[in-house]
């Protein structure tokens, strides 16, 4: 037999216990030594504090507590929390138990209430003597779902309910109508410039006006001199300038509906009657800014800043604004192609033509539908039969 020492499992446990106890004792001793070295006696600390306070304040008693770390000032009670930080004005008077985010508490919107347990009829009857419990489902009030919360009246704040957008909600896409509104905007800008009010009213909100204001602006004749900005307006220029000026109080007090849109046929006739020389009028930065802002208010079309800088005349602005939007689908592009629309043997569809569409085109679908109903067969689709019938059979679900 080999002289091998027997393995004792509990011996290792004793060794680890001994090491742990020795390391713990060393840590305790080190902590006690550090505490003994860093700690200053209370008496010497108080004497040093009194000596420093007497040197700093020689005239009269020093303000505050003698030991600010362990004592409170005389004018502050013991049970009150001392803080010198200013309170935020949005948090004044707020409930400290309110754990909602700060943005939600500052918001003017009435957010939905938190989910709580409904009170019992006995508890409601104690607070409301006129309460009568519902006896049927029809007597219960329909509160709606959370998804329908913002669609209900009163769930927007009063300021947001009366919000009026600056741009026109209906975008004008007809080129002739855009030229008419550009002509009106040009007359209004030149009228403000002649009266000396363009610098003051360039960044303000102009009155949108009515159809009479549109006709008054279009009645002013624009005489172009060599294609420069030095044009002459012939007509009631002062009335056009005054129709644009309105204070914010007047705009809030008078709620005028959106003016009547000009039709495409009428706009085309007006454009043909005008001399096209007005499109060659050069525009500077101030005029371009005023024209773009006014057209955005009237038609809802906004010229991007990157393209606005390249425009030099009114005609350039019309081209940038009246550009037709890109088609999102191939069917839209084909429907705009006049050559295809003139072909008698070509028909354009915006979706796939199914077999039912073909039967409807020749007039046989009504007869097919009647025969399917007589035989108790599904008219379209597979009725209650699942499409993946074979897959469900392989998975053992049938």
């Amino acid at each position: 037999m080999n002289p091998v020492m027997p393995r004792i499992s509990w011996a290792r446990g004793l060794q680890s216990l001994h090491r742990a106890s020795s390391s713990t004792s060393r840590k305790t001793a080190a902590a006690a030594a550090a505490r003994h070295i860093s700690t200053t006696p209370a008496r010497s600390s108080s004497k040093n504090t009194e000596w420093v306070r007497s040197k700093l304040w020689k005239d009269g008693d020093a303000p505050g507590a003698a030991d600010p770390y362990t004592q409170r000032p005389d004018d502050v009670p013991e049970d009150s929390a001392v803080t010198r930080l200013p309170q935020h004005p949005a948090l004044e008077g707020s409930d400290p138990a309110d754990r909602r985010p700060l943005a939600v508490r500052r918001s003017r919107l009435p957010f939905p209430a938190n989910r709580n347990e409904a009170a019992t009829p006995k508890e409601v009857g104690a607070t409301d003597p006129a309460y009568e419990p519902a006896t049927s489902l029809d007597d219960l009030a329909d509160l709606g779902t959370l998804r329908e919360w913002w669609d209900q009246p009163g769930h927007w704040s009063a300021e947001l309910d009366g919000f009026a957008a600056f741009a026109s909600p209906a975008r004008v896409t007809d080129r002739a109508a855009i030229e008419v509104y550009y002509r009106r905007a040009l007359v209004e800008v030149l009228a403000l410039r002649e009266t000396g009010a363009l610098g003051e009213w360039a960044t303000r909100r102009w009155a949108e006006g009515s159809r009479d204001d549109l006709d008054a602006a279009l009645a002013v004749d624009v005489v172009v001199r060599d294609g420069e900005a030095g044009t002459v307006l012939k007509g009631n220029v002062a009335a056009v300038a005054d129709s644009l000026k309105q204070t914010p109080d007047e705009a809030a007090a008078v709620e005028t509906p959106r003016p009547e849109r000009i039709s495409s046929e009428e706009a085309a006739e007006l454009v043909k009657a005008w001399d096209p020389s007005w499109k060659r009028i050069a525009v500077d930065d101030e005029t371009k800014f005023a024209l773009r802002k006014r057209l955005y208010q009237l038609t809802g079309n906004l010229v991007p800043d990157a393209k606005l800088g390249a425009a030099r005349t009114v005609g350039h602005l019309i081209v940038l604004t009246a550009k037709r939007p890109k088609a999102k689908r191939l069917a839209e592009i084909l429907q705009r192609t006049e050559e295809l629309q003139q072909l008698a043997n070509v028909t354009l569809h915006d979706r796939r033509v199914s077999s039912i569409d073909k039967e409807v085109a020749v007039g046989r679908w009504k007869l097919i539908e009647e025969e399917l109903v007589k035989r108790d067969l599904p008219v379209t689709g597979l009725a209650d039969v699942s499409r993946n019938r074979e897959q469900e059979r392989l998975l053992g679900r049938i």
Side-chain angles (χ1 to χ4, degrees), residues 102 128 161 288 318 333 342:
L102 184 60
D128 187 7
D161 286 340
K288 285 191 293 185
I318 295 175
I333 300 176
Q342 295 175 358

Side-chain angles (χ1 to χ4, degrees), residues 24-65:
T24 304
S25 60
R26 284 196 296 270
K27 291 179 181 179
T28 306
R35 185 168 60 251
H36 177 71
I37 294 173
S38 62
T39 305
T40 306
R43 293 182 179 179
S44 61
S45 177
S46 60
K47 291 181 180 180
N48 295 336
T49 305
E50 293 176 0
W51 181 81
V52 172
R53 288 165 60 85
S54 63
K55 294 297 182 182
L56 292 176
W57 288 276
K58 296 182 180 180
D59 300 335
D61 298 335

Side-chain angles (χ1 to χ4, degrees), residues 318-363:
I318 295 175
V319 172
L320 294 175
T321 308
K323 187 176 181 181
R324 302 181 69 177
K326 294 183 180 180
K328 298 181 180 180
R329 301 175 59 187
L330 178 60
E332 297 179 6
I333 300 176
L334 296 178
Q335 289 175 355
R336 295 177 182 177
T337 307
E338 297 180 359
E339 292 79 2
L340 295 177
Q341 295 179 358
Q342 295 175 358
L343 297 177
N345 59 342
V346 175
T347 305
L348 299 176
H349 301 273
D350 57 352
R351 61 179 180 85
R352 184 180 63 86
V353 179
S354 62
S355 59
I356 298 178
D357 297 331
K358 296 178 182 179
E359 299 295 340
V360 170
V362 297

Side-chain angles (χ1 to χ4, degrees), residues 9-28:
S9 58
W10 51 269
R12 296 181 180 179
L14 293 177
Q15 292 178 1
S16 60
L17 180 62
H18 176 69
R19 293 174 183 174
S21 60
S22 60
S23 61
T24 304
S25 60
R26 284 196 296 270
K27 291 179 181 179
T28 306

Side-chain angles (χ1 to χ4, degrees), residues 187-210:
V187 171
E188 292 171 345
V189 171
L190 296 178
L192 288 176
R193 176 170 290 177
E194 286 190 7
T195 56
L198 182 59
E200 179 185 359
W201 285 88
T203 57
R204 292 189 181 183
R205 184 187 181 96
W206 298 354
E208 192 169 358
S210 59

Side-chain angles (χ1 to χ4, degrees), residues 77-112:
E78 290 291 337
D79 55 347
S80 64
V82 180
T83 177
R84 296 183 180 180
L85 297 177
Q87 190 173 9
H88 198 279
L91 300 179
E92 292 182 357
S94 58
D95 187 7
D98 192 357
R99 298 184 178 180
R100 295 180 302 168
L102 184 60
V104 175
R105 283 182 281 174
R106 291 182 180 178
S107 177
R108 297 169 295 178
L109 297 177
F111 286 90

